Each structure stands twice: as structure tokens, then as C-alpha cells.
Amino acid sequence: MHASGRYDDGLLILVATVGNVGGSAANWALGRYLMHFQDRRWFPASPALVERATRWYQRFGVWSLLLAWVPIIGDPLTLVAGILRVDIRLFLLLVTLGKAGRYAILMVAI
């Protein structure tokens, strides 16, 4: 759409960012809610796996959410942020900055 020149670049960035951040926010909510079931037999993650993910996230910190746009690691990052109860306002700020920045860089590159 950008390459065609028929669309407003700012609007393209806004719509793409809002949609992408919405998906990340859904992951955050799933992570936050899933932990209510951690004592159930069917829970998909073992306590050891949750502990390992927690240590990894704490090592790299909340700033890693700026990389939520990266394929393969982005979705798990946002899910772990929910599990660890990262404040939703900080979560949305960092994820939005990272994802909007990616779209802006892509537009400049094209």
C-alpha cells in the first residue's frame, strides 16, 4: 500500500501499529489470566518452564518489550509480560514504540 503512493503514510503506520499492538495486548491478557490455572494438571507449562521464562525475562528486563515486533520471540515476550504482571500502561507504551518504529523504518527503507 505504501509503495503504491495512494495512501497516507501516517495513517498506514497508525492502523498497522494499532492492529499489531492489539494482538500483543491479547497475548498479555492471556498470560495474565493463564496463571490462575497453574495448579491444574492440564496447565501447558511446568513450574520449571515458568521459572526459566521468568529468569530470562528478568535478565533482559521490561525493555525487551521494545523487541515485541521481532518474529518468533515477540509473541512469547508479550505472553511472559502478562504472566509477570507487567503494568499494562508500560507494556502498551514499549510495545507501541517498538512496533510503530519498525513500521516507520520499513516505510523509509521502501
Side-chain angles (χ1 to χ4, degrees), residues 31-32 35 50 53-55 57-58 79-86:
R32 184 167 170 104
M35 291 312 288
V50 172
T54 301
R55 281 195 317 268
Y57 194 84
Q58 289 170 340
L79 190 69
V80 169
I83 290 171
L84 297 178
R85 300 182 180 270
V86 171

Side-chain angles (χ1 to χ4, degrees), residues 3 33-34 36 41 47-48 54-55 58 67 73-74 76 78 84 94 105:
Y33 184 69
L34 273 178
H36 292 287
R41 192 174 71 180
T54 301
R55 281 195 317 268
Q58 289 170 340
L67 299 175
I73 68 165
T78 58
L84 297 178
L94 293 174
I105 290 169

Side-chain angles (χ1 to χ4, degrees), residues 6 20 41 53 62 70 105 110:
R6 296 184 304 177
N20 212 318
R41 192 174 71 180
V62 72
V70 176
I105 290 169
I110 294 177

Side-chain angles (χ1 to χ4, degrees), residues 18-78:
V18 167
N20 212 318
V21 170
S24 294
N27 278 346
W28 179 90
L30 283 170
R32 184 167 170 104
Y33 184 69
L34 273 178
M35 291 312 288
H36 292 287
F37 300 104
Q38 68 184 3
D39 59 339
R40 306 283 172 89
R41 192 174 71 180
W42 53 264
F43 189 72
S46 68
L49 181 61
V50 172
E51 177 61 30
R52 206 175 11 207
T54 301
R55 281 195 317 268
W56 182 88
Y57 194 84
Q58 289 170 340
R59 177 178 175 202
F60 295 105
V62 72
W63 299 107
S64 63
L65 290 171
L66 289 169
L67 299 175
W69 60 270
V70 176
I72 300 173
I73 68 165
D75 287 337
L77 276 175
T78 58

